[in-house]
Amino acid sequence: MTKGRIFSGMQPSGKFHLGNYFGALDNWVKLQKEYECFFSIVDWHALTSSFEDTSRLPEYIHDMALDWLSAGLDPEKNVIFVQSQVKEHAELHLLLSMITPLSWLERVPTYKDKLIQLGSQGKDINTYGFLGYPELMTADIILYKADTVPVGEDQVPHLELTREILRRFNYLYQPIFPEPKPYLSKASLLPGIDGRKMSKSYGNEISFSANPDELRSRVMLMITDPQRVKKSDPGHPEVCTVFSFHKLFNSGEISKVSEDCRNASVGCVQCKKMLAEKMVDMLADVHARRRELENNPGRVREILAYGAERARKVAAATMEEVRAAMHLA
Ligand code: TRP
């Protein structure tokens, strides 16, 4: 018996870092034990805002699969697949687009925000596809009749729209779809190495695929308490990036780390070295799994093909019902 059925997805954008792991993927790794899960690499969603140069998409998809599998998502237990390999997503998206008023899509808060934000970066995404982003997300979720959708806070308006669209479907044709609820992941507590929000666009990220040496050198670059110039100066852990990382990777010794900083008995270099080794230890299994898969690229392709096959079975059954309900059978 499971608690229910989960669907969630991530866009393959080639940017997966530790900040993305803590707050999203770590949650999935836990949820896979309790729910029946469908996890999709949503490559069509990636096209909604990056359609001009698609040449690196295959690489990003492969990398994302590596990230997920090395994090410990089990491809037997969960259905792990690439969205574009299951064409039913496109068919359901098309049919839902017929019953969705334009105004519902236009009033989604993320729509105008992102249009302006990307517009200011010189990116024009005044496209049909971008407006339909939450429509495609709706198709993803209800194709599998998922009841639980782990997402970040920013995705909640999309899920509200999902419920409105499926209610309209259920009302107009036949009550096929259950209403899904969000399962909110907590915002990531990890800052970037400069203390700002971790983001590849700031260049302050630590890649989820970083090997032990890369981890060590990124930790050494972290910004510490600017008021602690000499080792003998007492530090303020609450403003220190290294300390934020200790909270996650070294929670068992956190009060000692804090005291040693405040009374200046441990210097920043030593404190960073301790952190780096904790991170290397905690990510050792992740690295081992990644190395194994990197040596066997055919295996990743097999896993995704197997996932797509399993997803297609469920999706095809739902589409039979949808077509029958709409007299398209
Ligand atoms: N929009 C989601 C995000 O950017 C990704 C996504 C696509 C998704 N389809 C989904 C999430 C379906 C949950 C369910 O985070």
Short mmCIF file of all heavy atoms in Angstrom, two decimals, residues 10-22 24-29 32 39 41 57-75 80 200 205-211 214 283 285-291 293-294 300 303-304:
data_model
loop_
_atom_site.label_atom_id
_atom_site.label_comp_id
_atom_site.label_asym_id
_atom_site.label_seq_id
_atom_site.Cartn_x
_atom_site.Cartn_y
_atom_site.Cartn_z
N MET A 10 11.13 18.08 -13.78
CA MET A 10 12.15 19.14 -13.75
C MET A 10 12.60 19.41 -15.18
O MET A 10 12.72 18.48 -15.98
CB MET A 10 13.39 18.70 -12.96
CG MET A 10 13.26 18.82 -11.48
SD MET A 10 14.85 18.42 -10.72
CE MET A 10 14.28 17.85 -9.13
N GLN A 11 12.88 20.67 -15.44
CA GLN A 11 13.36 21.03 -16.77
C GLN A 11 14.85 20.74 -16.89
O GLN A 11 15.62 21.15 -16.02
CB GLN A 11 13.17 22.53 -17.00
CG GLN A 11 11.74 22.95 -17.06
CD GLN A 11 11.63 24.42 -17.43
OE1 GLN A 11 12.31 24.90 -18.34
NE2 GLN A 11 10.78 25.14 -16.72
N PRO A 12 15.25 20.10 -17.97
CA PRO A 12 16.69 19.87 -18.18
C PRO A 12 17.33 21.15 -18.72
O PRO A 12 17.19 21.48 -19.89
CB PRO A 12 16.72 18.76 -19.23
CG PRO A 12 15.44 18.93 -19.99
CD PRO A 12 14.44 19.53 -19.05
N SER A 13 17.98 21.90 -17.84
CA SER A 13 18.55 23.17 -18.29
C SER A 13 20.07 23.18 -18.13
O SER A 13 20.71 24.19 -18.36
CB SER A 13 17.93 24.32 -17.50
OG SER A 13 18.20 24.12 -16.13
N GLY A 14 20.63 22.05 -17.72
CA GLY A 14 22.08 21.96 -17.60
C GLY A 14 22.64 22.72 -16.41
O GLY A 14 23.77 23.15 -16.43
N LYS A 15 21.83 22.90 -15.39
CA LYS A 15 22.28 23.76 -14.29
C LYS A 15 22.11 23.11 -12.92
O LYS A 15 21.95 23.80 -11.93
CB LYS A 15 21.44 25.05 -14.27
CG LYS A 15 21.71 25.96 -15.43
CD LYS A 15 20.85 27.20 -15.31
CE LYS A 15 20.94 28.04 -16.56
NZ LYS A 15 19.80 28.94 -16.71
N PHE A 16 22.08 21.82 -12.84
CA PHE A 16 21.73 21.22 -11.57
C PHE A 16 22.85 21.36 -10.54
O PHE A 16 23.97 20.92 -10.74
CB PHE A 16 21.38 19.74 -11.77
CG PHE A 16 20.50 19.23 -10.71
CD1 PHE A 16 19.15 19.54 -10.69
CD2 PHE A 16 21.02 18.46 -9.68
CE1 PHE A 16 18.33 19.09 -9.67
CE2 PHE A 16 20.20 17.99 -8.67
CZ PHE A 16 18.85 18.31 -8.66
N HIS A 17 22.54 22.00 -9.42
CA HIS A 17 23.55 22.22 -8.39
C HIS A 17 23.03 21.79 -7.01
O HIS A 17 21.86 21.38 -6.88
CB HIS A 17 24.03 23.67 -8.40
CG HIS A 17 22.92 24.69 -8.28
ND1 HIS A 17 22.05 24.75 -7.22
CD2 HIS A 17 22.56 25.70 -9.11
CE1 HIS A 17 21.21 25.75 -7.38
NE2 HIS A 17 21.49 26.34 -8.52
N LEU A 18 23.88 21.90 -6.02
CA LEU A 18 23.50 21.43 -4.67
C LEU A 18 22.25 22.13 -4.14
O LEU A 18 21.47 21.54 -3.41
CB LEU A 18 24.65 21.67 -3.69
CG LEU A 18 25.79 20.64 -3.69
CD1 LEU A 18 26.79 20.99 -2.60
CD2 LEU A 18 25.25 19.22 -3.48
N GLY A 19 22.08 23.41 -4.53
CA GLY A 19 20.88 24.14 -4.11
C GLY A 19 19.62 23.52 -4.68
O GLY A 19 18.58 23.50 -4.02
N ASN A 20 19.70 23.02 -5.90
CA ASN A 20 18.55 22.33 -6.50
C ASN A 20 18.31 20.98 -5.83
O ASN A 20 17.18 20.51 -5.74
CB ASN A 20 18.76 22.05 -7.99
CG ASN A 20 19.03 23.29 -8.81
OD1 ASN A 20 19.99 23.36 -9.57
ND2 ASN A 20 18.19 24.30 -8.66
N TYR A 21 19.41 20.37 -5.41
CA TYR A 21 19.26 19.06 -4.76
C TYR A 21 18.53 19.20 -3.42
O TYR A 21 17.50 18.56 -3.21
CB TYR A 21 20.63 18.39 -4.56
CG TYR A 21 20.52 17.14 -3.74
CD1 TYR A 21 19.98 15.99 -4.28
CD2 TYR A 21 20.92 17.13 -2.40
CE1 TYR A 21 19.83 14.84 -3.52
CE2 TYR A 21 20.78 15.98 -1.64
CZ TYR A 21 20.22 14.85 -2.19
OH TYR A 21 20.06 13.73 -1.43
N PHE A 22 19.07 20.08 -2.56
CA PHE A 22 18.42 20.28 -1.26
C PHE A 22 17.20 21.18 -1.46
O PHE A 22 17.33 22.36 -1.75
CB PHE A 22 19.38 20.91 -0.25
CG PHE A 22 20.46 19.98 0.17
CD1 PHE A 22 21.73 20.10 -0.35
CD2 PHE A 22 20.19 18.94 1.04
CE1 PHE A 22 22.73 19.22 0.03
CE2 PHE A 22 21.17 18.04 1.42
CZ PHE A 22 22.46 18.19 0.91
N ALA A 24 14.51 19.94 -3.44
CA ALA A 24 13.66 19.29 -4.44
C ALA A 24 13.98 17.80 -4.53
O ALA A 24 13.24 16.95 -4.06
CB ALA A 24 13.82 19.97 -5.79
N LEU A 25 15.14 17.51 -5.07
CA LEU A 25 15.47 16.11 -5.32
C LEU A 25 15.60 15.29 -4.03
O LEU A 25 15.19 14.12 -3.99
CB LEU A 25 16.76 16.04 -6.15
CG LEU A 25 17.08 14.72 -6.82
CD1 LEU A 25 15.92 14.19 -7.64
CD2 LEU A 25 18.31 14.87 -7.72
N ASP A 26 16.13 15.91 -2.98
CA ASP A 26 16.26 15.14 -1.73
C ASP A 26 14.88 14.73 -1.21
O ASP A 26 14.70 13.67 -0.62
CB ASP A 26 17.07 15.91 -0.67
CG ASP A 26 16.42 17.20 -0.22
OD1 ASP A 26 15.59 17.76 -0.97
OD2 ASP A 26 16.73 17.67 0.89
N ASN A 27 13.91 15.59 -1.49
CA ASN A 27 12.52 15.31 -1.14
C ASN A 27 11.98 14.10 -1.94
O ASN A 27 11.35 13.21 -1.38
CB ASN A 27 11.72 16.55 -1.54
CG ASN A 27 10.56 16.80 -0.64
OD1 ASN A 27 10.40 16.17 0.40
ND2 ASN A 27 9.70 17.71 -1.06
N TRP A 28 12.25 14.08 -3.20
CA TRP A 28 11.81 12.97 -4.04
C TRP A 28 12.41 11.65 -3.56
O TRP A 28 11.76 10.62 -3.55
CB TRP A 28 12.23 13.18 -5.50
CG TRP A 28 11.60 14.32 -6.22
CD1 TRP A 28 10.82 15.33 -5.68
CD2 TRP A 28 11.67 14.61 -7.62
NE1 TRP A 28 10.43 16.20 -6.66
CE2 TRP A 28 10.95 15.78 -7.86
CE3 TRP A 28 12.31 13.97 -8.69
CZ2 TRP A 28 10.83 16.34 -9.14
CZ3 TRP A 28 12.18 14.52 -9.96
CH2 TRP A 28 11.45 15.69 -10.17
N VAL A 29 13.68 11.72 -3.19
CA VAL A 29 14.37 10.50 -2.75
C VAL A 29 13.65 9.93 -1.52
O VAL A 29 13.52 8.71 -1.39
CB VAL A 29 15.86 10.79 -2.47
CG1 VAL A 29 16.55 9.60 -1.82
CG2 VAL A 29 16.59 11.18 -3.76
N GLN A 32 9.93 8.56 -2.60
CA GLN A 32 9.85 7.32 -3.39
C GLN A 32 9.58 6.10 -2.52
O GLN A 32 9.12 5.08 -3.02
CB GLN A 32 11.14 7.11 -4.21
CG GLN A 32 12.36 6.81 -3.38
CD GLN A 32 13.62 6.54 -4.22
OE1 GLN A 32 13.53 6.23 -5.39
NE2 GLN A 32 14.77 6.66 -3.59
N PHE A 39 8.41 10.38 -12.28
CA PHE A 39 9.31 11.53 -12.32
C PHE A 39 9.74 11.75 -13.77
O PHE A 39 10.29 10.85 -14.41
CB PHE A 39 10.54 11.30 -11.45
CG PHE A 39 10.23 11.21 -9.98
CD1 PHE A 39 10.67 10.12 -9.23
CD2 PHE A 39 9.52 12.21 -9.32
CE1 PHE A 39 10.40 10.02 -7.86
CE2 PHE A 39 9.25 12.13 -7.96
CZ PHE A 39 9.69 11.03 -7.23
N ILE A 41 11.63 14.09 -16.86
CA ILE A 41 12.52 15.13 -17.35
C ILE A 41 11.74 15.86 -18.44
O ILE A 41 11.49 15.31 -19.51
CB ILE A 41 13.82 14.51 -17.90
CG1 ILE A 41 14.55 13.75 -16.79
CG2 ILE A 41 14.71 15.59 -18.53
CD1 ILE A 41 15.79 12.99 -17.26
N LEU A 57 20.27 20.11 -25.75
CA LEU A 57 19.20 19.43 -25.02
C LEU A 57 19.51 17.95 -24.72
O LEU A 57 19.33 17.51 -23.58
CB LEU A 57 17.88 19.59 -25.78
CG LEU A 57 16.58 19.55 -25.00
CD1 LEU A 57 16.60 20.40 -23.75
CD2 LEU A 57 15.41 19.96 -25.89
N PRO A 58 20.01 17.19 -25.71
CA PRO A 58 20.30 15.78 -25.40
C PRO A 58 21.30 15.62 -24.25
O PRO A 58 21.13 14.76 -23.38
CB PRO A 58 20.90 15.25 -26.70
CG PRO A 58 20.41 16.16 -27.77
CD PRO A 58 20.26 17.52 -27.13
N GLU A 59 22.29 16.48 -24.24
CA GLU A 59 23.31 16.44 -23.17
C GLU A 59 22.67 16.79 -21.81
O GLU A 59 22.92 16.13 -20.80
CB GLU A 59 24.36 17.49 -23.56
CG GLU A 59 25.48 17.72 -22.59
CD GLU A 59 26.19 19.06 -22.94
OE1 GLU A 59 26.17 19.49 -24.12
OE2 GLU A 59 26.71 19.67 -22.01
N TYR A 60 21.81 17.82 -21.81
CA TYR A 60 21.17 18.22 -20.55
C TYR A 60 20.24 17.13 -20.02
O TYR A 60 20.14 16.92 -18.81
CB TYR A 60 20.36 19.50 -20.76
CG TYR A 60 21.19 20.74 -21.03
CD1 TYR A 60 20.61 21.88 -21.59
CD2 TYR A 60 22.55 20.78 -20.71
CE1 TYR A 60 21.36 23.03 -21.83
CE2 TYR A 60 23.30 21.92 -20.95
CZ TYR A 60 22.70 23.04 -21.51
OH TYR A 60 23.44 24.16 -21.74
N ILE A 61 19.56 16.45 -20.93
CA ILE A 61 18.66 15.38 -20.51
C ILE A 61 19.47 14.24 -19.88
O ILE A 61 19.14 13.73 -18.80
CB ILE A 61 17.83 14.86 -21.71
CG1 ILE A 61 16.84 15.93 -22.15
CG2 ILE A 61 17.12 13.55 -21.35
CD1 ILE A 61 16.13 15.64 -23.46
N HIS A 62 20.56 13.89 -20.55
CA HIS A 62 21.42 12.83 -20.03
C HIS A 62 21.98 13.22 -18.65
O HIS A 62 21.98 12.42 -17.71
CB HIS A 62 22.56 12.56 -21.03
CG HIS A 62 23.48 11.46 -20.60
ND1 HIS A 62 23.19 10.12 -20.84
CD2 HIS A 62 24.65 11.48 -19.93
CE1 HIS A 62 24.16 9.38 -20.32
NE2 HIS A 62 25.06 10.17 -19.78
N ASP A 63 22.43 14.47 -18.53
CA ASP A 63 22.97 14.93 -17.25
C ASP A 63 21.93 14.87 -16.14
O ASP A 63 22.22 14.51 -15.01
CB ASP A 63 23.48 16.38 -17.36
CG ASP A 63 24.77 16.46 -18.15
OD1 ASP A 63 25.37 15.40 -18.42
OD2 ASP A 63 25.16 17.59 -18.51
N MET A 64 20.70 15.26 -16.49
CA MET A 64 19.65 15.26 -15.48
C MET A 64 19.36 13.84 -15.02
O MET A 64 19.18 13.57 -13.83
CB MET A 64 18.40 15.95 -16.00
CG MET A 64 17.26 15.92 -15.01
SD MET A 64 16.22 17.40 -15.06
CE MET A 64 17.15 18.51 -14.04
N ALA A 65 19.34 12.92 -15.97
CA ALA A 65 19.12 11.51 -15.60
C ALA A 65 20.24 11.05 -14.67
O ALA A 65 19.99 10.38 -13.66
CB ALA A 65 19.06 10.64 -16.85
N LEU A 66 21.47 11.44 -14.98
CA LEU A 66 22.60 11.08 -14.11
C LEU A 66 22.42 11.69 -12.71
O LEU A 66 22.69 11.03 -11.70
CB LEU A 66 23.90 11.61 -14.69
CG LEU A 66 24.64 10.72 -15.69
CD1 LEU A 66 25.91 11.41 -16.17
CD2 LEU A 66 25.00 9.40 -15.04
N ASP A 67 21.99 12.94 -12.66
CA ASP A 67 21.78 13.58 -11.37
C ASP A 67 20.74 12.82 -10.54
O ASP A 67 20.95 12.55 -9.37
CB ASP A 67 21.29 15.03 -11.56
CG ASP A 67 22.37 15.95 -12.10
OD1 ASP A 67 23.55 15.74 -11.78
OD2 ASP A 67 22.04 16.87 -12.88
N TRP A 68 19.65 12.48 -11.16
CA TRP A 68 18.57 11.81 -10.45
C TRP A 68 19.00 10.43 -9.97
O TRP A 68 18.76 10.04 -8.83
CB TRP A 68 17.34 11.65 -11.35
CG TRP A 68 16.62 12.93 -11.65
CD1 TRP A 68 17.05 14.19 -11.32
CD2 TRP A 68 15.37 13.06 -12.32
NE1 TRP A 68 16.12 15.10 -11.79
CE2 TRP A 68 15.09 14.44 -12.39
CE3 TRP A 68 14.47 12.16 -12.88
CZ2 TRP A 68 13.92 14.93 -12.98
CZ3 TRP A 68 13.32 12.64 -13.47
CH2 TRP A 68 13.05 14.01 -13.52
N LEU A 69 19.62 9.68 -10.87
CA LEU A 69 19.99 8.31 -10.52
C LEU A 69 21.10 8.31 -9.47
O LEU A 69 21.08 7.51 -8.53
CB LEU A 69 20.41 7.53 -11.77
CG LEU A 69 19.30 7.35 -12.81
CD1 LEU A 69 19.86 6.84 -14.13
CD2 LEU A 69 18.21 6.41 -12.28
N SER A 70 22.04 9.23 -9.61
CA SER A 70 23.12 9.24 -8.62
C SER A 70 22.62 9.73 -7.27
O SER A 70 23.14 9.35 -6.23
CB SER A 70 24.33 10.05 -9.11
OG SER A 70 23.99 11.37 -9.35
N ALA A 71 21.56 10.54 -7.28
CA ALA A 71 20.97 10.97 -6.00
C ALA A 71 20.27 9.82 -5.28
O ALA A 71 19.99 9.91 -4.09
CB ALA A 71 19.97 12.10 -6.24
N GLY A 72 19.97 8.76 -6.03
CA GLY A 72 19.37 7.60 -5.39
C GLY A 72 17.92 7.33 -5.78
O GLY A 72 17.24 6.56 -5.11
N LEU A 73 17.43 7.98 -6.83
CA LEU A 73 16.10 7.61 -7.32
C LEU A 73 16.20 6.24 -7.97
O LEU A 73 17.06 6.01 -8.82
CB LEU A 73 15.58 8.62 -8.34
CG LEU A 73 15.09 9.97 -7.83
CD1 LEU A 73 14.44 10.74 -8.99
CD2 LEU A 73 14.11 9.85 -6.68
N ASP A 74 15.32 5.37 -7.56
CA ASP A 74 15.38 3.98 -8.01
C ASP A 74 14.53 3.79 -9.28
O ASP A 74 13.31 3.98 -9.24
CB ASP A 74 14.84 3.11 -6.86
CG ASP A 74 14.83 1.62 -7.21
OD1 ASP A 74 14.93 1.28 -8.42
OD2 ASP A 74 14.69 0.81 -6.28
N PRO A 75 15.16 3.44 -10.40
CA PRO A 75 14.42 3.35 -11.67
C PRO A 75 13.51 2.12 -11.78
O PRO A 75 12.74 2.02 -12.72
CB PRO A 75 15.54 3.27 -12.72
CG PRO A 75 16.72 2.73 -12.01
CD PRO A 75 16.60 3.16 -10.58
N ILE A 80 10.74 6.64 -14.27
CA ILE A 80 11.60 7.78 -14.59
C ILE A 80 11.70 7.89 -16.11
O ILE A 80 12.14 6.93 -16.77
CB ILE A 80 12.99 7.58 -13.97
CG1 ILE A 80 12.87 7.56 -12.44
CG2 ILE A 80 13.95 8.68 -14.42
CD1 ILE A 80 14.18 7.25 -11.72
N LYS A 200 23.53 29.39 -10.99
CA LYS A 200 24.62 29.30 -11.97
C LYS A 200 24.88 30.67 -12.62
O LYS A 200 26.01 30.97 -13.00
CB LYS A 200 24.28 28.26 -13.04
CG LYS A 200 25.52 27.87 -13.84
CD LYS A 200 25.28 26.68 -14.74
CE LYS A 200 26.53 26.37 -15.55
NZ LYS A 200 26.34 25.25 -16.46
N GLU A 205 27.70 28.67 -7.71
CA GLU A 205 27.09 27.37 -7.42
C GLU A 205 28.14 26.30 -7.11
O GLU A 205 29.31 26.45 -7.44
CB GLU A 205 26.22 26.91 -8.60
CG GLU A 205 26.96 26.24 -9.76
CD GLU A 205 27.69 27.19 -10.69
OE1 GLU A 205 27.82 28.39 -10.38
OE2 GLU A 205 28.17 26.71 -11.73
N ILE A 206 27.68 25.24 -6.46
CA ILE A 206 28.48 24.03 -6.36
C ILE A 206 27.69 22.97 -7.11
O ILE A 206 26.56 22.67 -6.76
CB ILE A 206 28.70 23.59 -4.90
CG1 ILE A 206 29.42 24.70 -4.13
CG2 ILE A 206 29.49 22.29 -4.84
CD1 ILE A 206 29.73 24.36 -2.68
N SER A 207 28.28 22.49 -8.17
CA SER A 207 27.56 21.55 -9.03
C SER A 207 27.26 20.27 -8.26
O SER A 207 28.06 19.80 -7.45
CB SER A 207 28.42 21.26 -10.26
OG SER A 207 27.92 20.13 -10.91
N PHE A 208 26.11 19.69 -8.54
CA PHE A 208 25.75 18.44 -7.89
C PHE A 208 26.67 17.31 -8.35
O PHE A 208 26.80 16.29 -7.68
CB PHE A 208 24.28 18.10 -8.18
CG PHE A 208 23.78 16.90 -7.43
CD1 PHE A 208 23.78 16.87 -6.05
CD2 PHE A 208 23.30 15.79 -8.12
CE1 PHE A 208 23.32 15.75 -5.35
CE2 PHE A 208 22.84 14.67 -7.44
CZ PHE A 208 22.84 14.66 -6.06
N SER A 209 27.31 17.50 -9.49
CA SER A 209 28.20 16.46 -9.99
C SER A 209 29.66 16.70 -9.58
O SER A 209 30.55 15.96 -9.99
CB SER A 209 28.10 16.37 -11.52
OG SER A 209 28.48 17.60 -12.10
N ALA A 210 29.91 17.73 -8.76
CA ALA A 210 31.30 18.03 -8.35
C ALA A 210 31.95 16.82 -7.68
O ALA A 210 31.35 16.18 -6.81
CB ALA A 210 31.31 19.21 -7.39
N ASN A 211 33.18 16.51 -8.09
CA ASN A 211 33.88 15.39 -7.46
C ASN A 211 34.57 15.90 -6.17
O ASN A 211 34.55 17.11 -5.90
CB ASN A 211 34.87 14.76 -8.44
CG ASN A 211 35.97 15.72 -8.85
OD1 ASN A 211 36.41 16.54 -8.05
ND2 ASN A 211 36.41 15.63 -10.08
N GLU A 214 36.82 18.95 -6.52
CA GLU A 214 36.06 20.16 -6.86
C GLU A 214 35.30 20.68 -5.64
O GLU A 214 35.24 21.89 -5.40
CB GLU A 214 35.07 19.89 -8.00
CG GLU A 214 35.76 19.74 -9.36
CD GLU A 214 34.87 19.06 -10.41
OE1 GLU A 214 33.85 18.44 -10.05
OE2 GLU A 214 35.24 19.13 -11.58
N LEU A 283 28.42 12.91 0.36
CA LEU A 283 28.11 12.74 -1.06
C LEU A 283 28.85 11.55 -1.68
O LEU A 283 28.79 11.35 -2.89
CB LEU A 283 28.44 14.03 -1.82
CG LEU A 283 27.56 15.24 -1.43
CD1 LEU A 283 28.13 16.54 -1.97
CD2 LEU A 283 26.12 15.05 -1.92
N ASP A 285 28.28 8.30 -1.65
CA ASP A 285 27.43 7.35 -2.37
C ASP A 285 26.98 7.94 -3.70
O ASP A 285 26.90 7.23 -4.72
CB ASP A 285 26.17 7.01 -1.56
CG ASP A 285 26.51 6.17 -0.34
OD1 ASP A 285 27.64 5.62 -0.30
OD2 ASP A 285 25.66 6.06 0.56
N VAL A 286 26.66 9.22 -3.67
CA VAL A 286 26.23 9.91 -4.90
C VAL A 286 27.34 9.83 -5.95
O VAL A 286 27.10 9.51 -7.11
CB VAL A 286 25.87 11.38 -4.59
CG1 VAL A 286 25.60 12.16 -5.87
CG2 VAL A 286 24.68 11.45 -3.64
N HIS A 287 28.56 10.11 -5.51
CA HIS A 287 29.69 10.08 -6.45
C HIS A 287 29.95 8.68 -6.98
O HIS A 287 30.23 8.50 -8.16
CB HIS A 287 30.95 10.64 -5.79
CG HIS A 287 30.84 12.10 -5.52
ND1 HIS A 287 31.29 12.69 -4.36
CD2 HIS A 287 30.29 13.10 -6.25
CE1 HIS A 287 31.02 13.98 -4.41
NE2 HIS A 287 30.42 14.26 -5.53
N ALA A 288 29.83 7.71 -6.10
CA ALA A 288 30.07 6.33 -6.53
C ALA A 288 29.05 5.91 -7.58
O ALA A 288 29.40 5.32 -8.61
CB ALA A 288 30.02 5.40 -5.33
N ARG A 289 27.79 6.25 -7.32
CA ARG A 289 26.75 5.88 -8.30
C ARG A 289 26.97 6.61 -9.62
O ARG A 289 26.80 6.04 -10.69
CB ARG A 289 25.36 6.21 -7.74
CG ARG A 289 24.83 5.16 -6.77
CD ARG A 289 23.36 5.39 -6.45
NE ARG A 289 23.17 6.60 -5.66
CZ ARG A 289 22.99 6.60 -4.34
NH1 ARG A 289 22.97 5.47 -3.67
NH2 ARG A 289 22.84 7.73 -3.69
N ARG A 290 27.36 7.88 -9.54
CA ARG A 290 27.59 8.63 -10.77
C ARG A 290 28.75 8.03 -11.58
O ARG A 290 28.65 7.86 -12.79
CB ARG A 290 27.88 10.10 -10.48
CG ARG A 290 28.08 10.93 -11.75
CD ARG A 290 28.34 12.39 -11.45
NE ARG A 290 27.16 13.07 -10.96
CZ ARG A 290 26.28 13.70 -11.75
NH1 ARG A 290 26.46 13.75 -13.04
NH2 ARG A 290 25.22 14.27 -11.22
N ARG A 291 29.82 7.70 -10.90
CA ARG A 291 30.98 7.15 -11.62
C ARG A 291 30.59 5.87 -12.34
O ARG A 291 30.96 5.64 -13.48
CB ARG A 291 32.13 6.91 -10.64
CG ARG A 291 33.46 7.45 -11.19
CD ARG A 291 34.53 7.51 -10.12
NE ARG A 291 34.14 8.35 -9.01
CZ ARG A 291 34.13 7.96 -7.74
NH1 ARG A 291 34.46 6.73 -7.40
NH2 ARG A 291 33.79 8.80 -6.78
N LEU A 293 27.66 4.99 -13.45
CA LEU A 293 26.82 5.27 -14.61
C LEU A 293 27.59 5.96 -15.73
O LEU A 293 27.33 5.73 -16.91
CB LEU A 293 25.63 6.15 -14.20
CG LEU A 293 24.56 5.45 -13.36
CD1 LEU A 293 23.65 6.46 -12.70
CD2 LEU A 293 23.75 4.47 -14.21
N GLU A 294 28.55 6.79 -15.35
CA GLU A 294 29.34 7.48 -16.37
C GLU A 294 30.15 6.48 -17.21
O GLU A 294 30.38 6.70 -18.39
CB GLU A 294 30.29 8.49 -15.72
CG GLU A 294 29.62 9.83 -15.48
CD GLU A 294 30.44 10.79 -14.64
OE1 GLU A 294 31.49 10.37 -14.10
OE2 GLU A 294 30.02 11.94 -14.50
N VAL A 300 22.06 4.40 -18.95
CA VAL A 300 21.15 5.51 -18.72
C VAL A 300 20.06 5.53 -19.80
O VAL A 300 18.87 5.71 -19.52
CB VAL A 300 21.92 6.85 -18.70
CG1 VAL A 300 20.97 8.03 -18.59
CG2 VAL A 300 22.92 6.86 -17.55
N ILE A 303 17.56 2.83 -19.10
CA ILE A 303 16.67 3.17 -17.98
C ILE A 303 15.57 4.11 -18.44
O ILE A 303 14.39 3.93 -18.12
CB ILE A 303 17.50 3.80 -16.82
CG1 ILE A 303 18.31 2.71 -16.12
CG2 ILE A 303 16.59 4.52 -15.83
CD1 ILE A 303 19.30 3.24 -15.10
N LEU A 304 15.94 5.11 -19.25
CA LEU A 304 14.94 6.08 -19.72
C LEU A 304 13.95 5.43 -20.70
O LEU A 304 12.77 5.76 -20.70
CB LEU A 304 15.63 7.29 -20.36
CG LEU A 304 16.43 8.17 -19.39
CD1 LEU A 304 17.14 9.29 -20.15
CD2 LEU A 304 15.53 8.75 -18.29
#
